[in-house]
């Protein structure tokens, strides 16, 4: 079973700063089944990236995804107030434990 | 508008049963793979079942295998999750989600299931 480990657990940043979120897998995985999600309390999760680096429909270009093999990264440039949320990586059926991006 | 709407959640005693439904609209439901994902209070996202566009294949994680059954009725644009032998640890918000290109692109708002005596 492949395990996804996200770091850091919490990221404290100010609006306008850049957020760099990491997701590491215990085995090398294919990009084609790798995604990133944003989740806010009381809302449905929102797909941000699929195929590791492809933005989903309607996602602003300040969000970008990269990586391959066992190391993947979600970058959020110039954080907007609405970007403070929990972010999850996903491979097939498995999710990481989440990274909370909070306002510093 | 592409939309998924869950229903059927509620309070149930340990050992009890509940059937969740997910209604789809705005897209050709029969063409898409579907899943159920849950989030327990204070926890992260956990996948609980998958069903292919035509009803097969079907997959479950060990945590629910033998207790949960996923099904779909493409004529009614509906997805279901039959949950039996419920446990306290099944308490969560349950989301249905559409799977495409290896990711879950459309999610419902969720329905809360509470297992408690």
């Amino acid at each position: 079973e492949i395990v996804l480990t996200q770091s850091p657990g919490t990221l404290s940043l100010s609006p306008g700063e850049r957020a760099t979120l990491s997701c590491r897998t215990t085995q090398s995985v294919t990009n084609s089944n790798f995604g990133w999600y944003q989740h806010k309390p009381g809302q449905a999760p929102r797909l941000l990236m699929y195929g590791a680096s492809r933005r989903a429909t309607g996602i602003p270009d300040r969000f970008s995804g990269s990586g391959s093999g066992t190391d993947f990264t979600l970058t959020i440039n110039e954080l907007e107030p609405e970007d403070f949320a929990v972010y999850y990586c996903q491979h097939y059926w498995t999710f990481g434990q989440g990274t909370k991006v909070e306002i510093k | 508008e592409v939309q998924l709407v869950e229903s059927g959640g509620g309070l149930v005693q340990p050992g009890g049963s509940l059937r969740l439904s997910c209604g789809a609209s705005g897209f050709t439901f029969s063409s898409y793979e579907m899943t159920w994902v849950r989030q327990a209070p204070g926890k992260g996202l956990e996948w609980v079942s998958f069903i292919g566009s035509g009803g097969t294949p079907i997959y479950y994680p060990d945590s629910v295998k033998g207790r949960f059954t996923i099904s779909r009725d493409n004529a009614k644009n509906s997805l279901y999750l039959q949950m039996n032998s419920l446990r306290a640890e099944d308490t969560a918000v349950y989301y249905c989600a559409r799977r495409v290109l290896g990711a879950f692109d459309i999610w419902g708002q969720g329905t809360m299931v509470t297992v408690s005596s």
Side-chain angles (χ1 to χ4, degrees), chain A residues 26-63:
Chain A
T26 51
Q27 299 175 42
S28 183
V29 301
T30 57
N31 286 19
S32 58
N33 287 281
F34 192 92
W36 288 96
Y37 301 81
Q38 178 191 70
H39 195 196
K40 297 178 182 179
Q43 297 186 18
R46 178 191 184 195
L47 174 66
L48 299 174
M49 315 294 301
Y50 67 96
S53 60
R54 302 183 177 194
R55 270 187 299 277
T57 302
I59 302 303
D61 60 7
R62 64 179 181 274
F63 290 90

PDB file of all heavy atoms in Angstrom, chain A residues 26-63:
ATOM      1  N   THR A  26       5.480   6.638  -0.674  1.00  0.00           N
ATOM      2  CA  THR A  26       6.409   5.584  -0.234  1.00  0.00           C
ATOM      3  C   THR A  26       6.933   4.743  -1.389  1.00  0.00           C
ATOM      4  O   THR A  26       7.888   3.990  -1.218  1.00  0.00           O
ATOM      5  CB  THR A  26       5.736   4.673   0.791  1.00  0.00           C
ATOM      6  OG1 THR A  26       4.476   4.226   0.278  1.00  0.00           O
ATOM      7  CG2 THR A  26       5.484   5.413   2.101  1.00  0.00           C
ATOM      8  N   GLN A  27       6.277   4.851  -2.544  1.00  0.00           N
ATOM      9  CA  GLN A  27       6.763   4.197  -3.755  1.00  0.00           C
ATOM     10  C   GLN A  27       6.604   5.167  -4.913  1.00  0.00           C
ATOM     11  O   GLN A  27       5.768   6.072  -4.855  1.00  0.00           O
ATOM     12  CB  GLN A  27       5.946   2.940  -4.080  1.00  0.00           C
ATOM     13  CG  GLN A  27       5.963   1.847  -3.057  1.00  0.00           C
ATOM     14  CD  GLN A  27       5.021   0.717  -3.445  1.00  0.00           C
ATOM     15  OE1 GLN A  27       4.949   0.314  -4.611  1.00  0.00           O
ATOM     16  NE2 GLN A  27       4.293   0.199  -2.481  1.00  0.00           N
ATOM     17  N   SER A  28       7.388   4.966  -5.958  1.00  0.00           N
ATOM     18  CA  SER A  28       7.259   5.798  -7.144  1.00  0.00           C
ATOM     19  C   SER A  28       5.871   5.611  -7.762  1.00  0.00           C
ATOM     20  O   SER A  28       5.399   4.468  -7.889  1.00  0.00           O
ATOM     21  CB  SER A  28       8.345   5.418  -8.153  1.00  0.00           C
ATOM     22  OG  SER A  28       8.277   6.253  -9.283  1.00  0.00           O
ATOM     23  N   VAL A  29       5.229   6.715  -8.122  1.00  0.00           N
ATOM     24  CA  VAL A  29       3.868   6.658  -8.665  1.00  0.00           C
ATOM     25  C   VAL A  29       3.818   7.383 -10.005  1.00  0.00           C
ATOM     26  O   VAL A  29       4.702   8.178 -10.337  1.00  0.00           O
ATOM     27  CB  VAL A  29       2.848   7.286  -7.691  1.00  0.00           C
ATOM     28  CG1 VAL A  29       2.868   6.555  -6.344  1.00  0.00           C
ATOM     29  CG2 VAL A  29       3.089   8.779  -7.501  1.00  0.00           C
ATOM     30  N   THR A  30       2.766   7.101 -10.750  1.00  0.00           N
ATOM     31  CA  THR A  30       2.587   7.772 -12.037  1.00  0.00           C
ATOM     32  C   THR A  30       1.886   9.106 -11.820  1.00  0.00           C
ATOM     33  O   THR A  30       0.987   9.235 -10.997  1.00  0.00           O
ATOM     34  CB  THR A  30       1.741   6.916 -12.984  1.00  0.00           C
ATOM     35  OG1 THR A  30       0.484   6.639 -12.350  1.00  0.00           O
ATOM     36  CG2 THR A  30       2.435   5.611 -13.305  1.00  0.00           C
ATOM     37  N   ASN A  31       2.281  10.092 -12.586  1.00  0.00           N
ATOM     38  CA  ASN A  31       1.652  11.405 -12.464  1.00  0.00           C
ATOM     39  C   ASN A  31       0.179  11.389 -12.848  1.00  0.00           C
ATOM     40  O   ASN A  31      -0.610  12.203 -12.356  1.00  0.00           O
ATOM     41  CB  ASN A  31       2.376  12.421 -13.354  1.00  0.00           C
ATOM     42  CG  ASN A  31       3.711  12.826 -12.782  1.00  0.00           C
ATOM     43  OD1 ASN A  31       4.271  12.131 -11.939  1.00  0.00           O
ATOM     44  ND2 ASN A  31       4.226  13.942 -13.260  1.00  0.00           N
ATOM     45  N   SER A  32      -0.205  10.457 -13.690  1.00  0.00           N
ATOM     46  CA  SER A  32      -1.544  10.483 -14.279  1.00  0.00           C
ATOM     47  C   SER A  32      -2.650  10.314 -13.247  1.00  0.00           C
ATOM     48  O   SER A  32      -3.799  10.664 -13.524  1.00  0.00           O
ATOM     49  CB  SER A  32      -1.671   9.415 -15.359  1.00  0.00           C
ATOM     50  OG  SER A  32      -1.412   8.143 -14.814  1.00  0.00           O
ATOM     51  N   ASN A  33      -2.331   9.755 -12.080  1.00  0.00           N
ATOM     52  CA  ASN A  33      -3.371   9.570 -11.058  1.00  0.00           C
ATOM     53  C   ASN A  33      -3.068  10.351  -9.798  1.00  0.00           C
ATOM     54  O   ASN A  33      -3.418   9.928  -8.688  1.00  0.00           O
ATOM     55  CB  ASN A  33      -3.520   8.082 -10.733  1.00  0.00           C
ATOM     56  CG  ASN A  33      -4.208   7.328 -11.853  1.00  0.00           C
ATOM     57  OD1 ASN A  33      -5.419   7.372 -11.976  1.00  0.00           O
ATOM     58  ND2 ASN A  33      -3.426   6.649 -12.671  1.00  0.00           N
ATOM     59  N   PHE A  34      -2.434  11.510  -9.950  1.00  0.00           N
ATOM     60  CA  PHE A  34      -2.019  12.317  -8.806  1.00  0.00           C
ATOM     61  C   PHE A  34      -2.738  13.656  -8.844  1.00  0.00           C
ATOM     62  O   PHE A  34      -2.728  14.346  -9.865  1.00  0.00           O
ATOM     63  CB  PHE A  34      -0.501  12.529  -8.826  1.00  0.00           C
ATOM     64  CG  PHE A  34       0.009  13.092  -7.526  1.00  0.00           C
ATOM     65  CD1 PHE A  34       0.438  12.243  -6.514  1.00  0.00           C
ATOM     66  CD2 PHE A  34       0.028  14.454  -7.305  1.00  0.00           C
ATOM     67  CE1 PHE A  34       0.892  12.757  -5.308  1.00  0.00           C
ATOM     68  CE2 PHE A  34       0.473  14.971  -6.107  1.00  0.00           C
ATOM     69  CZ  PHE A  34       0.902  14.126  -5.106  1.00  0.00           C
ATOM     70  N   GLY A  35      -3.343  14.012  -7.708  1.00  0.00           N
ATOM     71  CA  GLY A  35      -4.073  15.258  -7.652  1.00  0.00           C
ATOM     72  C   GLY A  35      -3.855  16.042  -6.370  1.00  0.00           C
ATOM     73  O   GLY A  35      -3.311  15.516  -5.392  1.00  0.00           O
ATOM     74  N   TRP A  36      -4.273  17.306  -6.382  1.00  0.00           N
ATOM     75  CA  TRP A  36      -4.255  18.175  -5.204  1.00  0.00           C
ATOM     76  C   TRP A  36      -5.637  18.786  -5.027  1.00  0.00           C
ATOM     77  O   TRP A  36      -6.300  19.133  -6.001  1.00  0.00           O
ATOM     78  CB  TRP A  36      -3.243  19.309  -5.379  1.00  0.00           C
ATOM     79  CG  TRP A  36      -1.806  18.928  -5.296  1.00  0.00           C
ATOM     80  CD1 TRP A  36      -0.967  18.641  -6.330  1.00  0.00           C
ATOM     81  CD2 TRP A  36      -1.008  18.826  -4.098  1.00  0.00           C
ATOM     82  NE1 TRP A  36       0.298  18.356  -5.853  1.00  0.00           N
ATOM     83  CE2 TRP A  36       0.294  18.476  -4.492  1.00  0.00           C
ATOM     84  CE3 TRP A  36      -1.264  19.009  -2.741  1.00  0.00           C
ATOM     85  CZ2 TRP A  36       1.340  18.285  -3.571  1.00  0.00           C
ATOM     86  CZ3 TRP A  36      -0.242  18.825  -1.829  1.00  0.00           C
ATOM     87  CH2 TRP A  36       1.042  18.467  -2.250  1.00  0.00           C
ATOM     88  N   TYR A  37      -6.058  18.916  -3.756  1.00  0.00           N
ATOM     89  CA  TYR A  37      -7.372  19.426  -3.431  1.00  0.00           C
ATOM     90  C   TYR A  37      -7.267  20.509  -2.361  1.00  0.00           C
ATOM     91  O   TYR A  37      -6.391  20.460  -1.499  1.00  0.00           O
ATOM     92  CB  TYR A  37      -8.280  18.298  -2.906  1.00  0.00           C
ATOM     93  CG  TYR A  37      -8.451  17.194  -3.907  1.00  0.00           C
ATOM     94  CD1 TYR A  37      -7.472  16.210  -4.045  1.00  0.00           C
ATOM     95  CD2 TYR A  37      -9.557  17.144  -4.743  1.00  0.00           C
ATOM     96  CE1 TYR A  37      -7.600  15.213  -4.986  1.00  0.00           C
ATOM     97  CE2 TYR A  37      -9.688  16.138  -5.687  1.00  0.00           C
ATOM     98  CZ  TYR A  37      -8.705  15.182  -5.801  1.00  0.00           C
ATOM     99  OH  TYR A  37      -8.830  14.199  -6.742  1.00  0.00           O
ATOM    100  N   GLN A  38      -8.203  21.432  -2.417  1.00  0.00           N
ATOM    101  CA  GLN A  38      -8.372  22.458  -1.392  1.00  0.00           C
ATOM    102  C   GLN A  38      -9.670  22.155  -0.649  1.00  0.00           C
ATOM    103  O   GLN A  38     -10.694  21.844  -1.271  1.00  0.00           O
ATOM    104  CB  GLN A  38      -8.472  23.830  -2.051  1.00  0.00           C
ATOM    105  CG  GLN A  38      -8.694  24.987  -1.095  1.00  0.00           C
ATOM    106  CD  GLN A  38      -9.047  26.261  -1.855  1.00  0.00           C
ATOM    107  OE1 GLN A  38     -10.125  26.386  -2.429  1.00  0.00           O
ATOM    108  NE2 GLN A  38      -8.115  27.219  -1.860  1.00  0.00           N
ATOM    109  N   HIS A  39      -9.631  22.250   0.687  1.00  0.00           N
ATOM    110  CA  HIS A  39     -10.831  21.961   1.455  1.00  0.00           C
ATOM    111  C   HIS A  39     -11.008  22.994   2.546  1.00  0.00           C
ATOM    112  O   HIS A  39     -10.103  23.212   3.355  1.00  0.00           O
ATOM    113  CB  HIS A  39     -10.752  20.561   2.078  1.00  0.00           C
ATOM    114  CG  HIS A  39     -12.071  20.062   2.574  1.00  0.00           C
ATOM    115  ND1 HIS A  39     -12.187  18.991   3.436  1.00  0.00           N
ATOM    116  CD2 HIS A  39     -13.335  20.447   2.306  1.00  0.00           C
ATOM    117  CE1 HIS A  39     -13.463  18.769   3.690  1.00  0.00           C
ATOM    118  NE2 HIS A  39     -14.171  19.639   3.004  1.00  0.00           N
ATOM    119  N   LYS A  40     -12.165  23.631   2.525  1.00  0.00           N
ATOM    120  CA  LYS A  40     -12.511  24.613   3.553  1.00  0.00           C
ATOM    121  C   LYS A  40     -13.638  24.054   4.412  1.00  0.00           C
ATOM    122  O   LYS A  40     -14.464  23.287   3.921  1.00  0.00           O
ATOM    123  CB  LYS A  40     -12.951  25.926   2.900  1.00  0.00           C
ATOM    124  CG  LYS A  40     -11.861  26.587   2.076  1.00  0.00           C
ATOM    125  CD  LYS A  40     -12.365  27.861   1.425  1.00  0.00           C
ATOM    126  CE  LYS A  40     -11.280  28.495   0.572  1.00  0.00           C
ATOM    127  NZ  LYS A  40     -11.764  29.727  -0.104  1.00  0.00           N
ATOM    128  N   PRO A  41     -13.695  24.433   5.678  1.00  0.00           N
ATOM    129  CA  PRO A  41     -14.731  23.909   6.579  1.00  0.00           C
ATOM    130  C   PRO A  41     -16.132  24.155   6.036  1.00  0.00           C
ATOM    131  O   PRO A  41     -16.450  25.254   5.572  1.00  0.00           O
ATOM    132  CB  PRO A  41     -14.491  24.693   7.874  1.00  0.00           C
ATOM    133  CG  PRO A  41     -13.066  25.089   7.821  1.00  0.00           C
ATOM    134  CD  PRO A  41     -12.764  25.335   6.377  1.00  0.00           C
ATOM    135  N   GLY A  42     -16.946  23.112   6.078  1.00  0.00           N
ATOM    136  CA  GLY A  42     -18.328  23.241   5.649  1.00  0.00           C
ATOM    137  C   GLY A  42     -18.545  23.256   4.150  1.00  0.00           C
ATOM    138  O   GLY A  42     -19.677  23.418   3.688  1.00  0.00           O
ATOM    139  N   GLN A  43     -17.454  23.080   3.397  1.00  0.00           N
ATOM    140  CA  GLN A  43     -17.567  23.082   1.942  1.00  0.00           C
ATOM    141  C   GLN A  43     -17.106  21.751   1.375  1.00  0.00           C
ATOM    142  O   GLN A  43     -16.440  20.962   2.047  1.00  0.00           O
ATOM    143  CB  GLN A  43     -16.728  24.221   1.338  1.00  0.00           C
ATOM    144  CG  GLN A  43     -17.172  25.612   1.734  1.00  0.00           C
ATOM    145  CD  GLN A  43     -16.399  26.687   1.002  1.00  0.00           C
ATOM    146  OE1 GLN A  43     -15.759  26.450  -0.034  1.00  0.00           O
ATOM    147  NE2 GLN A  43     -16.445  27.909   1.525  1.00  0.00           N
ATOM    148  N   ALA A  44     -17.466  21.528   0.126  1.00  0.00           N
ATOM    149  CA  ALA A  44     -16.960  20.350  -0.571  1.00  0.00           C
ATOM    150  C   ALA A  44     -15.493  20.561  -0.936  1.00  0.00           C
ATOM    151  O   ALA A  44     -15.067  21.689  -1.221  1.00  0.00           O
ATOM    152  CB  ALA A  44     -17.764  20.122  -1.846  1.00  0.00           C
ATOM    153  N   PRO A  45     -14.703  19.500  -0.901  1.00  0.00           N
ATOM    154  CA  PRO A  45     -13.337  19.625  -1.418  1.00  0.00           C
ATOM    155  C   PRO A  45     -13.367  20.095  -2.872  1.00  0.00           C
ATOM    156  O   PRO A  45     -14.316  19.835  -3.605  1.00  0.00           O
ATOM    157  CB  PRO A  45     -12.783  18.200  -1.298  1.00  0.00           C
ATOM    158  CG  PRO A  45     -13.596  17.574  -0.207  1.00  0.00           C
ATOM    159  CD  PRO A  45     -14.972  18.155  -0.381  1.00  0.00           C
ATOM    160  N   ARG A  46     -12.295  20.766  -3.263  1.00  0.00           N
ATOM    161  CA  ARG A  46     -12.203  21.344  -4.614  1.00  0.00           C
ATOM    162  C   ARG A  46     -10.944  20.838  -5.285  1.00  0.00           C
ATOM    163  O   ARG A  46      -9.848  20.967  -4.728  1.00  0.00           O
ATOM    164  CB  ARG A  46     -12.170  22.864  -4.494  1.00  0.00           C
ATOM    165  CG  ARG A  46     -12.022  23.651  -5.782  1.00  0.00           C
ATOM    166  CD  ARG A  46     -11.745  25.105  -5.422  1.00  0.00           C
ATOM    167  NE  ARG A  46     -11.665  25.989  -6.570  1.00  0.00           N
ATOM    168  CZ  ARG A  46     -11.156  27.221  -6.503  1.00  0.00           C
ATOM    169  NH1 ARG A  46     -10.710  27.703  -5.355  1.00  0.00           N
ATOM    170  NH2 ARG A  46     -11.122  27.972  -7.580  1.00  0.00           N
ATOM    171  N   LEU A  47     -11.096  20.256  -6.473  1.00  0.00           N
ATOM    172  CA  LEU A  47      -9.935  19.784  -7.208  1.00  0.00           C
ATOM    173  C   LEU A  47      -9.141  20.979  -7.728  1.00  0.00           C
ATOM    174  O   LEU A  47      -9.686  21.852  -8.404  1.00  0.00           O
ATOM    175  CB  LEU A  47     -10.378  18.894  -8.380  1.00  0.00           C
ATOM    176  CG  LEU A  47      -9.280  18.433  -9.326  1.00  0.00           C
ATOM    177  CD1 LEU A  47      -8.309  17.492  -8.609  1.00  0.00           C
ATOM    178  CD2 LEU A  47      -9.882  17.738 -10.555  1.00  0.00           C
ATOM    179  N   LEU A  48      -7.849  21.002  -7.429  1.00  0.00           N
ATOM    180  CA  LEU A  48      -6.968  22.053  -7.922  1.00  0.00           C
ATOM    181  C   LEU A  48      -6.139  21.584  -9.112  1.00  0.00           C
ATOM    182  O   LEU A  48      -6.071  22.258 -10.141  1.00  0.00           O
ATOM    183  CB  LEU A  48      -6.001  22.496  -6.815  1.00  0.00           C
ATOM    184  CG  LEU A  48      -6.594  23.087  -5.548  1.00  0.00           C
ATOM    185  CD1 LEU A  48      -5.493  23.315  -4.519  1.00  0.00           C
ATOM    186  CD2 LEU A  48      -7.345  24.369  -5.852  1.00  0.00           C
ATOM    187  N   MET A  49      -5.485  20.444  -8.939  1.00  0.00           N
ATOM    188  CA  MET A  49      -4.545  19.926  -9.927  1.00  0.00           C
ATOM    189  C   MET A  49      -4.826  18.466 -10.180  1.00  0.00           C
ATOM    190  O   MET A  49      -5.125  17.712  -9.243  1.00  0.00           O
ATOM    191  CB  MET A  49      -3.092  20.059  -9.442  1.00  0.00           C
ATOM    192  CG  MET A  49      -2.708  21.374  -8.821  1.00  0.00           C
ATOM    193  SD  MET A  49      -2.727  22.765  -9.957  1.00  0.00           S
ATOM    194  CE  MET A  49      -1.558  22.233 -11.196  1.00  0.00           C
ATOM    195  N   TYR A  50      -4.704  18.032 -11.415  1.00  0.00           N
ATOM    196  CA  TYR A  50      -4.755  16.616 -11.760  1.00  0.00           C
ATOM    197  C   TYR A  50      -3.570  16.321 -12.652  1.00  0.00           C
ATOM    198  O   TYR A  50      -2.964  17.228 -13.229  1.00  0.00           O
ATOM    199  CB  TYR A  50      -6.086  16.250 -12.424  1.00  0.00           C
ATOM    200  CG  TYR A  50      -6.293  16.870 -13.786  1.00  0.00           C
ATOM    201  CD1 TYR A  50      -5.995  16.161 -14.945  1.00  0.00           C
ATOM    202  CD2 TYR A  50      -6.792  18.167 -13.918  1.00  0.00           C
ATOM    203  CE1 TYR A  50      -6.178  16.721 -16.196  1.00  0.00           C
ATOM    204  CE2 TYR A  50      -6.978  18.736 -15.159  1.00  0.00           C
ATOM    205  CZ  TYR A  50      -6.671  18.002 -16.301  1.00  0.00           C
ATOM    206  OH  TYR A  50      -6.853  18.559 -17.527  1.00  0.00           O
ATOM    207  N   GLY A  51      -3.233  15.015 -12.738  1.00  0.00           N
ATOM    208  CA  GLY A  51      -2.031  14.685 -13.498  1.00  0.00           C
ATOM    209  C   GLY A  51      -0.801  15.367 -12.936  1.00  0.00           C
ATOM    210  O   GLY A  51       0.154  15.637 -13.669  1.00  0.00           O
ATOM    211  N   ALA A  52      -0.842  15.685 -11.667  1.00  0.00           N
ATOM    212  CA  ALA A  52       0.238  16.316 -10.900  1.00  0.00           C
ATOM    213  C   ALA A  52       0.470  17.787 -11.236  1.00  0.00           C
ATOM    214  O   ALA A  52       0.823  18.579 -10.366  1.00  0.00           O
ATOM    215  CB  ALA A  52       1.555  15.549 -11.043  1.00  0.00           C
ATOM    216  N   SER A  53       0.270  18.168 -12.503  1.00  0.00           N
ATOM    217  CA  SER A  53       0.670  19.532 -12.886  1.00  0.00           C
ATOM    218  C   SER A  53      -0.356  20.256 -13.742  1.00  0.00           C
ATOM    219  O   SER A  53      -0.086  21.361 -14.224  1.00  0.00           O
ATOM    220  CB  SER A  53       2.011  19.483 -13.631  1.00  0.00           C
ATOM    221  OG  SER A  53       1.891  18.698 -14.795  1.00  0.00           O
ATOM    222  N   ARG A  54      -1.532  19.645 -13.942  1.00  0.00           N
ATOM    223  CA  ARG A  54      -2.544  20.275 -14.792  1.00  0.00           C
ATOM    224  C   ARG A  54      -3.601  20.933 -13.922  1.00  0.00           C
ATOM    225  O   ARG A  54      -4.228  20.267 -13.085  1.00  0.00           O
ATOM    226  CB  ARG A  54      -3.177  19.254 -15.711  1.00  0.00           C
ATOM    227  CG  ARG A  54      -2.161  18.563 -16.599  1.00  0.00           C
ATOM    228  CD  ARG A  54      -2.804  17.603 -17.562  1.00  0.00           C
ATOM    229  NE  ARG A  54      -1.809  17.005 -18.439  1.00  0.00           N
ATOM    230  CZ  ARG A  54      -2.102  16.344 -19.542  1.00  0.00           C
ATOM    231  NH1 ARG A  54      -3.347  16.207 -19.918  1.00  0.00           N
ATOM    232  NH2 ARG A  54      -1.134  15.813 -20.257  1.00  0.00           N
ATOM    233  N   ARG A  55      -3.820  22.211 -14.141  1.00  0.00           N
ATOM    234  CA  ARG A  55      -4.834  22.922 -13.359  1.00  0.00           C
ATOM    235  C   ARG A  55      -6.237  22.495 -13.781  1.00  0.00           C
ATOM    236  O   ARG A  55      -6.542  22.397 -14.979  1.00  0.00           O
ATOM    237  CB  ARG A  55      -4.689  24.436 -13.527  1.00  0.00           C
ATOM    238  CG  ARG A  55      -3.772  25.095 -12.506  1.00  0.00           C
ATOM    239  CD  ARG A  55      -3.821  26.598 -12.637  1.00  0.00           C
ATOM    240  NE  ARG A  55      -3.366  27.044 -13.950  1.00  0.00           N
ATOM    241  CZ  ARG A  55      -2.090  27.217 -14.280  1.00  0.00           C
ATOM    242  NH1 ARG A  55      -1.151  26.992 -13.385  1.00  0.00           N
ATOM    243  NH2 ARG A  55      -1.780  27.624 -15.476  1.00  0.00           N
ATOM    244  N   ALA A  56      -7.092  22.293 -12.784  1.00  0.00           N
ATOM    245  CA  ALA A  56      -8.485  21.958 -13.068  1.00  0.00           C
ATOM    246  C   ALA A  56      -9.212  23.204 -13.568  1.00  0.00           C
ATOM    247  O   ALA A  56      -8.716  24.340 -13.437  1.00  0.00           O
ATOM    248  CB  ALA A  56      -9.151  21.414 -11.807  1.00  0.00           C
ATOM    249  N   THR A  57     -10.381  23.003 -14.107  1.00  0.00           N
ATOM    250  CA  THR A  57     -11.172  24.090 -14.671  1.00  0.00           C
ATOM    251  C   THR A  57     -11.430  25.170 -13.634  1.00  0.00           C
ATOM    252  O   THR A  57     -11.871  24.885 -12.516  1.00  0.00           O
ATOM    253  CB  THR A  57     -12.516  23.560 -15.191  1.00  0.00           C
ATOM    254  OG1 THR A  57     -12.276  22.552 -16.166  1.00  0.00           O
ATOM    255  CG2 THR A  57     -13.330  24.680 -15.802  1.00  0.00           C
ATOM    256  N   GLY A  58     -11.125  26.413 -14.012  1.00  0.00           N
ATOM    257  CA  GLY A  58     -11.426  27.545 -13.152  1.00  0.00           C
ATOM    258  C   GLY A  58     -10.410  27.830 -12.066  1.00  0.00           C
ATOM    259  O   GLY A  58     -10.600  28.769 -11.280  1.00  0.00           O
ATOM    260  N   ILE A  59      -9.343  27.063 -11.998  1.00  0.00           N
ATOM    261  CA  ILE A  59      -8.329  27.282 -10.957  1.00  0.00           C
ATOM    262  C   ILE A  59      -7.368  28.382 -11.408  1.00  0.00           C
ATOM    263  O   ILE A  59      -6.799  28.309 -12.506  1.00  0.00           O
ATOM    264  CB  ILE A  59      -7.567  25.987 -10.653  1.00  0.00           C
ATOM    265  CG1 ILE A  59      -8.551  24.879 -10.212  1.00  0.00           C
ATOM    266  CG2 ILE A  59      -6.495  26.232  -9.592  1.00  0.00           C
ATOM    267  CD1 ILE A  59      -9.405  25.238  -9.013  1.00  0.00           C
ATOM    268  N   PRO A  60      -7.148  29.385 -10.563  1.00  0.00           N
ATOM    269  CA  PRO A  60      -6.262  30.497 -10.948  1.00  0.00           C
ATOM    270  C   PRO A  60      -4.833  30.028 -11.174  1.00  0.00           C
ATOM    271  O   PRO A  60      -4.379  29.061 -10.564  1.00  0.00           O
ATOM    272  CB  PRO A  60      -6.334  31.439  -9.735  1.00  0.00           C
ATOM    273  CG  PRO A  60      -7.520  31.025  -8.958  1.00  0.00           C
ATOM    274  CD  PRO A  60      -7.747  29.576  -9.240  1.00  0.00           C
ATOM    275  N   ASP A  61      -4.109  30.786 -12.012  1.00  0.00           N
ATOM    276  CA  ASP A  61      -2.751  30.346 -12.372  1.00  0.00           C
ATOM    277  C   ASP A  61      -1.724  30.620 -11.276  1.00  0.00           C
ATOM    278  O   ASP A  61      -0.547  30.283 -11.446  1.00  0.00           O
ATOM    279  CB  ASP A  61      -2.301  30.965 -13.702  1.00  0.00           C
ATOM    280  CG  ASP A  61      -2.273  32.478 -13.681  1.00  0.00           C
ATOM    281  OD1 ASP A  61      -2.467  33.066 -12.594  1.00  0.00           O
ATOM    282  OD2 ASP A  61      -2.074  33.071 -14.749  1.00  0.00           O
ATOM    283  N   ARG A  62      -2.154  31.174 -10.139  1.00  0.00           N
ATOM    284  CA  ARG A  62      -1.214  31.268  -9.016  1.00  0.00           C
ATOM    285  C   ARG A  62      -0.991  29.890  -8.364  1.00  0.00           C
ATOM    286  O   ARG A  62      -0.056  29.717  -7.593  1.00  0.00           O
ATOM    287  CB  ARG A  62      -1.693  32.268  -7.947  1.00  0.00           C
ATOM    288  CG  ARG A  62      -2.974  31.918  -7.251  1.00  0.00           C
ATOM    289  CD  ARG A  62      -3.326  32.988  -6.205  1.00  0.00           C
ATOM    290  NE  ARG A  62      -4.547  32.678  -5.481  1.00  0.00           N
ATOM    291  CZ  ARG A  62      -5.756  33.001  -5.916  1.00  0.00           C
ATOM    292  NH1 ARG A  62      -5.899  33.669  -7.054  1.00  0.00           N
ATOM    293  NH2 ARG A  62      -6.827  32.687  -5.193  1.00  0.00           N
ATOM    294  N   PHE A  63      -1.843  28.928  -8.706  1.00  0.00           N
ATOM    295  CA  PHE A  63      -1.675  27.558  -8.249  1.00  0.00           C
ATOM    296  C   PHE A  63      -0.881  26.776  -9.309  1.00  0.00           C
ATOM    297  O   PHE A  63      -1.220  26.818 -10.498  1.00  0.00           O
ATOM    298  CB  PHE A  63      -3.022  26.855  -8.043  1.00  0.00           C
ATOM    299  CG  PHE A  63      -3.810  27.370  -6.876  1.00  0.00           C
ATOM    300  CD1 PHE A  63      -4.706  28.415  -7.041  1.00  0.00           C
ATOM    301  CD2 PHE A  63      -3.667  26.812  -5.616  1.00  0.00           C
ATOM    302  CE1 PHE A  63      -5.438  28.899  -5.968  1.00  0.00           C
ATOM    303  CE2 PHE A  63      -4.400  27.286  -4.536  1.00  0.00           C
ATOM    304  CZ  PHE A  63      -5.289  28.336  -4.713  1.00  0.00           C
TER     305      PHE A  63
END
